[in-house]
Amino acid sequence: MDKGNNSGVKILVFSTEKISDPAIDLAGLLKMHYPPVVYTMIVPCSSAIKPRWIMHAFEKGFDGVFIAADGTDCPFSEKCTENTSEIVAQTHTIMKEKGMDAARLKMAAICSVCAEPFVKHMNTFVNYFSN
Amino acid sequence: MKNRIGVYICHCGSNISDYVDVEHVRELAEKVEGVILAKTTMFACADSTQKEMIEDIKSEKLDALVVASCSPKLHLETFRNVALRAGLNPFNYIQVNIREQVSWAHSDKPQEATIKALKLVYASIATVKHSKALKPIKIPSVNTVVVVGAGVAGMRAAIDLADMGSYVYIIEKEHFVGGRVSQWDNLFTTGETGREVISNIYNKIMAYENIKLFTGAQIVSKAGSVGDFNIKVEIKPRYFKPGAKVDPDKLEEVIQACPVEVEDDFNFNLTKRKAIYRNYPSEFPEIPAIDADHCTKCGICEEKCNDVDFSMKAETIEINAGAVLVSTGFDPYEPNKGEFGYAENDFVISLQQMKRLIELSPGELVFKDRKIKKIAYIYCVGSRQSEGPNKYCSRYCCTSAIYTALLLKEKYQGIKNIHLNRGIRTYGKQELLYNEASEKGDVFLQFDEGTPPKVSAENGQIKIKAEDILTAGREIEFSVDLVVLVTGMVPRKDNSIANIFKVPIGRDKFFNEIHPKLRPVETVIDGILISGACQGPKNIPESTNSALSAAAKANTLISKGDIEIEPKLAEIDEASCEWCDKCQVVCPYNAILKKDVNGKMVAEVNKANCKGCGMCLPVCESNSIQLIGYTDIEIESFIDTLAMD
């Protein structure tokens, strides 16, 4: 299969059903382009992401994992940012033990209208691996 | 594991198939193990396709379904219902978003878009194989709606909601109701004034016990979700005692005594008003207000009027509501300084200013000491910009300008109207106005966007030079007494409400519905609805129609007392669970209990409390918690398939 123009880079985005996924939809609606090597997977909340899922993605060949977090807009808990940060910290520890580049896992709060920030994040993230 | 899967790939007219080779995706999807049939369809959501799917599910005994089409936010329920009608459990269905997140996002790279679409379809097939048959769960909802904005749309929606049995809170930022409509005098087609329309609706509202109106009120925060929003509202002091009945003559005396003078927004800055004000006699609520932002609290009004009370403080109330209906209206486009002479030449005004000027000029039409007889209207100012930000047509301005021109002729002697337009768009019945204006001698010249009319001042006169494309680009030069810039609608400058409710904003910067035809008043945030001109230019009947639609939608959502939500609950593997309490600590809903199973302490999920957020998943060191719909096997199958080359 042809890998396109991004030299085989693959990014997995964990987006949240109510908050960040609508922003990613909005980016499409506004025809804001980002690299097609970005694949989105919906979860109910960014605090629900298991580190093993992230590590599984790396093991299977994803170059980067981006958590499009609920941030302060989380409909479930005010502690969402704190909890998601803890997941990232735990995963970074595992990555460090395995000698992996911590920059391969990124997290940013993406609210339901943050189409432009999402596109910027994706372009920067893909460029990091392409370069 | 499901092994009789049906896959449907939608063209979405050409929205998807212009960029994704849907036939190629179908051919490859058909070869995946477990896939019994794969079809492309012009519109997967069409009734005929839905029927075909139902027949396929029954005849092929399909046990799972994948539809690759638009965002699940649009049609998840449509295809779940298809499954249900065919006897298939709706949760054995997955919708793949290959429109918003593939064809539209990657329209610049069709080949890669096809690869991405194919991978997503593969991954969804892999995931749906592990899907389980589930039943939805129900959560209680409050039959209360917060309507934001007491304009014509908000108030009309409130009446319908109240009629249907909901308790309604109307939150209006201004001290008076009516929004933009209260600023208009006579309205086409009925000839009623804006005030009469607003008075009728307001009086009806006051008769309802289940409608509570707050003016001078602003929403400051929102928490919770559909069925159970908690909304904080800050109410500004009016500095007039509640229920005050001020004698009109006395009030006039108090207003005159106020030393503070500010630009009058109500009259689009044509006039000044005092800090103590009402916009017109008998404006609702019929209690004047003091503009706290400009009042110096000099005390003159308090001395003259016992009803003035500066001891009043701002207060904050909390409302528990099941749904929110945002009807915050629009702002008129304000031309830039120098745009056709605006704000540089005293005799260049906007259409909205002209409408107020008519009402403020009872005898003859005099503006800044000049008798106005000859008026030029320049259309599409700030609208239909091929280069600028406002690409859209506001649709109401052509009708409004022609109606205003006819009113001028009716009210004042010797008025001559010259309309410089870019093609008149008086759609529907409004076309009659265009005919009437032509018959009454109004002159219509048409210009091209690339060659707009030039407005200049010469010896106190306003000169206009225009190329009329209806007469082969002939250059016409004439002078007028007044130029009216026909401006359209733009989103409200104050966009704080969008931030609070996270209402998506579209390319035109107005609030964005999920779909203009299929879900025209819903937003992607469950329980947050929009109506009226806050979602795009609309005239009064169109705004009212959308308000009624939003009211019906809100009622359908919350009036039953409970809302069906996804049955995506946490499940505990008692065999591997070694009670550590981390899941209990992290759970925001007290949904994790501790229980004894044959002497071993393990976690138990209280299904009534679990909201399916999944926060307990990553904290479990023994990986004993799975979230239905997001189990390890489903997530990892999805990842495995996406990762394949």
Side-chain angles (χ1 to χ4, degrees), chain A residues 107-128:
Chain A
M107 163 193 160
I110 301 289
C111 78
S112 58
V113 290
C114 288
E116 207 174 323
F118 171 76
V119 170
K120 277 184 188 166
H121 278 299
M122 288 307 103
N123 288 329
T124 312
F125 204 32
V126 171
N127 278 342
Y128 176 79

PDB file of all heavy atoms in Angstrom, chain A residues 107-128:
ATOM      1  N   MET A 107       0.193  15.575  24.588  1.00  0.00           N
ATOM      2  CA  MET A 107      -1.176  15.802  25.057  1.00  0.00           C
ATOM      3  C   MET A 107      -1.461  17.303  24.986  1.00  0.00           C
ATOM      4  O   MET A 107      -0.590  18.111  25.289  1.00  0.00           O
ATOM      5  CB  MET A 107      -1.288  15.326  26.504  1.00  0.00           C
ATOM      6  CG  MET A 107      -2.492  15.854  27.248  1.00  0.00           C
ATOM      7  SD  MET A 107      -2.310  15.552  29.028  1.00  0.00           S
ATOM      8  CE  MET A 107      -3.459  16.724  29.676  1.00  0.00           C
ATOM      9  N   ALA A 108      -2.645  17.660  24.543  1.00  0.00           N
ATOM     10  CA  ALA A 108      -3.068  19.069  24.583  1.00  0.00           C
ATOM     11  C   ALA A 108      -4.578  19.095  24.740  1.00  0.00           C
ATOM     12  O   ALA A 108      -5.272  18.213  24.222  1.00  0.00           O
ATOM     13  CB  ALA A 108      -2.652  19.791  23.310  1.00  0.00           C
ATOM     14  N   ALA A 109      -5.056  20.087  25.458  1.00  0.00           N
ATOM     15  CA  ALA A 109      -6.514  20.223  25.592  1.00  0.00           C
ATOM     16  C   ALA A 109      -7.073  20.765  24.276  1.00  0.00           C
ATOM     17  O   ALA A 109      -6.584  21.764  23.753  1.00  0.00           O
ATOM     18  CB  ALA A 109      -6.839  21.169  26.730  1.00  0.00           C
ATOM     19  N   ILE A 110      -8.045  20.059  23.731  1.00  0.00           N
ATOM     20  CA  ILE A 110      -8.694  20.495  22.487  1.00  0.00           C
ATOM     21  C   ILE A 110     -10.187  20.603  22.798  1.00  0.00           C
ATOM     22  O   ILE A 110     -10.853  19.593  23.021  1.00  0.00           O
ATOM     23  CB  ILE A 110      -8.461  19.460  21.345  1.00  0.00           C
ATOM     24  CG1 ILE A 110      -6.971  19.262  21.058  1.00  0.00           C
ATOM     25  CG2 ILE A 110      -9.230  19.832  20.079  1.00  0.00           C
ATOM     26  CD1 ILE A 110      -6.259  20.421  20.383  1.00  0.00           C
ATOM     27  N   CYS A 111     -10.700  21.813  22.809  1.00  0.00           N
ATOM     28  CA  CYS A 111     -12.118  21.984  23.124  1.00  0.00           C
ATOM     29  C   CYS A 111     -12.949  21.731  21.865  1.00  0.00           C
ATOM     30  O   CYS A 111     -12.400  21.541  20.785  1.00  0.00           O
ATOM     31  CB  CYS A 111     -12.388  23.372  23.699  1.00  0.00           C
ATOM     32  SG  CYS A 111     -12.433  24.656  22.459  1.00  0.00           S
ATOM     33  N   SER A 112     -14.260  21.752  22.001  1.00  0.00           N
ATOM     34  CA  SER A 112     -15.121  21.340  20.878  1.00  0.00           C
ATOM     35  C   SER A 112     -15.074  22.296  19.684  1.00  0.00           C
ATOM     36  O   SER A 112     -15.594  21.974  18.618  1.00  0.00           O
ATOM     37  CB  SER A 112     -16.562  21.173  21.352  1.00  0.00           C
ATOM     38  OG  SER A 112     -17.018  22.374  21.911  1.00  0.00           O
ATOM     39  N   VAL A 113     -14.485  23.479  19.864  1.00  0.00           N
ATOM     40  CA  VAL A 113     -14.374  24.395  18.725  1.00  0.00           C
ATOM     41  C   VAL A 113     -12.909  24.666  18.349  1.00  0.00           C
ATOM     42  O   VAL A 113     -12.619  25.559  17.565  1.00  0.00           O
ATOM     43  CB  VAL A 113     -15.118  25.734  18.998  1.00  0.00           C
ATOM     44  CG1 VAL A 113     -16.599  25.518  19.018  1.00  0.00           C
ATOM     45  CG2 VAL A 113     -14.668  26.366  20.301  1.00  0.00           C
ATOM     46  N   CYS A 114     -12.015  23.871  18.929  1.00  0.00           N
ATOM     47  CA  CYS A 114     -10.577  24.101  18.703  1.00  0.00           C
ATOM     48  C   CYS A 114     -10.078  23.458  17.406  1.00  0.00           C
ATOM     49  O   CYS A 114      -9.075  22.717  17.429  1.00  0.00           O
ATOM     50  CB  CYS A 114      -9.772  23.566  19.869  1.00  0.00           C
ATOM     51  SG  CYS A 114      -9.918  24.530  21.367  1.00  0.00           S
ATOM     52  N   ALA A 115     -10.748  23.721  16.310  1.00  0.00           N
ATOM     53  CA  ALA A 115     -10.349  23.109  15.035  1.00  0.00           C
ATOM     54  C   ALA A 115      -8.957  23.586  14.618  1.00  0.00           C
ATOM     55  O   ALA A 115      -8.096  22.784  14.224  1.00  0.00           O
ATOM     56  CB  ALA A 115     -11.377  23.458  13.968  1.00  0.00           C
ATOM     57  N   GLU A 116      -8.733  24.882  14.719  1.00  0.00           N
ATOM     58  CA  GLU A 116      -7.465  25.441  14.263  1.00  0.00           C
ATOM     59  C   GLU A 116      -6.280  24.957  15.118  1.00  0.00           C
ATOM     60  O   GLU A 116      -5.278  24.503  14.564  1.00  0.00           O
ATOM     61  CB  GLU A 116      -7.562  26.970  14.273  1.00  0.00           C
ATOM     62  CG  GLU A 116      -6.640  27.613  13.280  1.00  0.00           C
ATOM     63  CD  GLU A 116      -6.868  29.119  13.220  1.00  0.00           C
ATOM     64  OE1 GLU A 116      -8.016  29.557  13.334  1.00  0.00           O
ATOM     65  OE2 GLU A 116      -5.867  29.833  13.059  1.00  0.00           O
ATOM     66  N   PRO A 117      -6.415  25.015  16.467  1.00  0.00           N
ATOM     67  CA  PRO A 117      -5.310  24.473  17.277  1.00  0.00           C
ATOM     68  C   PRO A 117      -5.030  23.011  16.962  1.00  0.00           C
ATOM     69  O   PRO A 117      -3.870  22.592  16.917  1.00  0.00           O
ATOM     70  CB  PRO A 117      -5.816  24.632  18.717  1.00  0.00           C
ATOM     71  CG  PRO A 117      -6.797  25.745  18.654  1.00  0.00           C
ATOM     72  CD  PRO A 117      -7.429  25.671  17.300  1.00  0.00           C
ATOM     73  N   PHE A 118      -6.093  22.228  16.727  1.00  0.00           N
ATOM     74  CA  PHE A 118      -5.877  20.803  16.428  1.00  0.00           C
ATOM     75  C   PHE A 118      -5.028  20.661  15.160  1.00  0.00           C
ATOM     76  O   PHE A 118      -4.056  19.895  15.126  1.00  0.00           O
ATOM     77  CB  PHE A 118      -7.217  20.072  16.253  1.00  0.00           C
ATOM     78  CG  PHE A 118      -7.053  18.669  15.746  1.00  0.00           C
ATOM     79  CD1 PHE A 118      -6.615  17.658  16.604  1.00  0.00           C
ATOM     80  CD2 PHE A 118      -7.283  18.344  14.416  1.00  0.00           C
ATOM     81  CE1 PHE A 118      -6.421  16.365  16.140  1.00  0.00           C
ATOM     82  CE2 PHE A 118      -7.079  17.057  13.945  1.00  0.00           C
ATOM     83  CZ  PHE A 118      -6.649  16.061  14.813  1.00  0.00           C
ATOM     84  N   VAL A 119      -5.393  21.409  14.125  1.00  0.00           N
ATOM     85  CA  VAL A 119      -4.668  21.307  12.853  1.00  0.00           C
ATOM     86  C   VAL A 119      -3.207  21.725  13.034  1.00  0.00           C
ATOM     87  O   VAL A 119      -2.287  21.072  12.526  1.00  0.00           O
ATOM     88  CB  VAL A 119      -5.384  22.158  11.767  1.00  0.00           C
ATOM     89  CG1 VAL A 119      -4.545  22.275  10.513  1.00  0.00           C
ATOM     90  CG2 VAL A 119      -6.740  21.547  11.438  1.00  0.00           C
ATOM     91  N   LYS A 120      -3.005  22.788  13.823  1.00  0.00           N
ATOM     92  CA  LYS A 120      -1.620  23.237  14.081  1.00  0.00           C
ATOM     93  C   LYS A 120      -0.826  22.150  14.797  1.00  0.00           C
ATOM     94  O   LYS A 120       0.320  21.860  14.450  1.00  0.00           O
ATOM     95  CB  LYS A 120      -1.627  24.514  14.931  1.00  0.00           C
ATOM     96  CG  LYS A 120      -1.843  25.762  14.112  1.00  0.00           C
ATOM     97  CD  LYS A 120      -1.741  26.994  14.979  1.00  0.00           C
ATOM     98  CE  LYS A 120      -2.149  28.225  14.168  1.00  0.00           C
ATOM     99  NZ  LYS A 120      -2.385  29.377  15.001  1.00  0.00           N
ATOM    100  N   HIS A 121      -1.447  21.563  15.828  1.00  0.00           N
ATOM    101  CA  HIS A 121      -0.780  20.484  16.569  1.00  0.00           C
ATOM    102  C   HIS A 121      -0.398  19.341  15.631  1.00  0.00           C
ATOM    103  O   HIS A 121       0.710  18.803  15.710  1.00  0.00           O
ATOM    104  CB  HIS A 121      -1.699  19.947  17.672  1.00  0.00           C
ATOM    105  CG  HIS A 121      -1.693  20.765  18.929  1.00  0.00           C
ATOM    106  ND1 HIS A 121      -0.563  20.966  19.683  1.00  0.00           N
ATOM    107  CD2 HIS A 121      -2.687  21.425  19.574  1.00  0.00           C
ATOM    108  CE1 HIS A 121      -0.857  21.714  20.732  1.00  0.00           C
ATOM    109  NE2 HIS A 121      -2.142  22.015  20.687  1.00  0.00           N
ATOM    110  N   MET A 122      -1.326  18.974  14.753  1.00  0.00           N
ATOM    111  CA  MET A 122      -1.066  17.832  13.863  1.00  0.00           C
ATOM    112  C   MET A 122       0.066  18.134  12.883  1.00  0.00           C
ATOM    113  O   MET A 122       0.929  17.295  12.641  1.00  0.00           O
ATOM    114  CB  MET A 122      -2.343  17.449  13.094  1.00  0.00           C
ATOM    115  CG  MET A 122      -3.398  16.785  13.949  1.00  0.00           C
ATOM    116  SD  MET A 122      -2.772  15.363  14.884  1.00  0.00           S
ATOM    117  CE  MET A 122      -2.603  16.038  16.510  1.00  0.00           C
ATOM    118  N   ASN A 123       0.037  19.330  12.328  1.00  0.00           N
ATOM    119  CA  ASN A 123       1.102  19.684  11.379  1.00  0.00           C
ATOM    120  C   ASN A 123       2.464  19.680  12.067  1.00  0.00           C
ATOM    121  O   ASN A 123       3.440  19.152  11.538  1.00  0.00           O
ATOM    122  CB  ASN A 123       0.812  21.056  10.747  1.00  0.00           C
ATOM    123  CG  ASN A 123      -0.332  20.983   9.754  1.00  0.00           C
ATOM    124  OD1 ASN A 123      -0.536  19.960   9.104  1.00  0.00           O
ATOM    125  ND2 ASN A 123      -1.111  22.042   9.640  1.00  0.00           N
ATOM    126  N   THR A 124       2.509  20.239  13.274  1.00  0.00           N
ATOM    127  CA  THR A 124       3.780  20.279  14.015  1.00  0.00           C
ATOM    128  C   THR A 124       4.239  18.872  14.377  1.00  0.00           C
ATOM    129  O   THR A 124       5.414  18.530  14.238  1.00  0.00           O
ATOM    130  CB  THR A 124       3.583  21.103  15.320  1.00  0.00           C
ATOM    131  OG1 THR A 124       2.935  22.307  14.981  1.00  0.00           O
ATOM    132  CG2 THR A 124       4.887  21.388  16.019  1.00  0.00           C
ATOM    133  N   PHE A 125       3.282  18.065  14.833  1.00  0.00           N
ATOM    134  CA  PHE A 125       3.621  16.718  15.298  1.00  0.00           C
ATOM    135  C   PHE A 125       4.133  15.853  14.134  1.00  0.00           C
ATOM    136  O   PHE A 125       5.150  15.174  14.252  1.00  0.00           O
ATOM    137  CB  PHE A 125       2.366  16.104  15.942  1.00  0.00           C
ATOM    138  CG  PHE A 125       2.649  15.012  16.944  1.00  0.00           C
ATOM    139  CD1 PHE A 125       3.801  15.011  17.728  1.00  0.00           C
ATOM    140  CD2 PHE A 125       1.723  13.986  17.139  1.00  0.00           C
ATOM    141  CE1 PHE A 125       4.030  14.004  18.672  1.00  0.00           C
ATOM    142  CE2 PHE A 125       1.947  12.977  18.069  1.00  0.00           C
ATOM    143  CZ  PHE A 125       3.101  12.981  18.835  1.00  0.00           C
ATOM    144  N   VAL A 126       3.444  15.923  13.010  1.00  0.00           N
ATOM    145  CA  VAL A 126       3.863  15.123  11.849  1.00  0.00           C
ATOM    146  C   VAL A 126       5.222  15.617  11.345  1.00  0.00           C
ATOM    147  O   VAL A 126       6.101  14.814  11.015  1.00  0.00           O
ATOM    148  CB  VAL A 126       2.787  15.165  10.733  1.00  0.00           C
ATOM    149  CG1 VAL A 126       3.319  14.524   9.447  1.00  0.00           C
ATOM    150  CG2 VAL A 126       1.524  14.435  11.189  1.00  0.00           C
ATOM    151  N   ASN A 127       5.408  16.941  11.347  1.00  0.00           N
ATOM    152  CA  ASN A 127       6.693  17.497  10.907  1.00  0.00           C
ATOM    153  C   ASN A 127       7.838  17.006  11.775  1.00  0.00           C
ATOM    154  O   ASN A 127       8.936  16.767  11.298  1.00  0.00           O
ATOM    155  CB  ASN A 127       6.665  19.038  10.955  1.00  0.00           C
ATOM    156  CG  ASN A 127       6.012  19.592   9.711  1.00  0.00           C
ATOM    157  OD1 ASN A 127       5.893  18.884   8.720  1.00  0.00           O
ATOM    158  ND2 ASN A 127       5.578  20.837   9.769  1.00  0.00           N
ATOM    159  N   TYR A 128       7.579  16.871  13.077  1.00  0.00           N
ATOM    160  CA  TYR A 128       8.608  16.403  14.009  1.00  0.00           C
ATOM    161  C   TYR A 128       9.157  15.057  13.533  1.00  0.00           C
ATOM    162  O   TYR A 128      10.371  14.820  13.555  1.00  0.00           O
ATOM    163  CB  TYR A 128       8.000  16.290  15.411  1.00  0.00           C
ATOM    164  CG  TYR A 128       8.955  15.708  16.438  1.00  0.00           C
ATOM    165  CD1 TYR A 128       9.949  16.507  17.014  1.00  0.00           C
ATOM    166  CD2 TYR A 128       8.876  14.371  16.823  1.00  0.00           C
ATOM    167  CE1 TYR A 128      10.830  15.978  17.949  1.00  0.00           C
ATOM    168  CE2 TYR A 128       9.745  13.838  17.754  1.00  0.00           C
ATOM    169  CZ  TYR A 128      10.723  14.649  18.316  1.00  0.00           C
ATOM    170  OH  TYR A 128      11.599  14.118  19.233  1.00  0.00           O
TER     171      TYR A 128
END
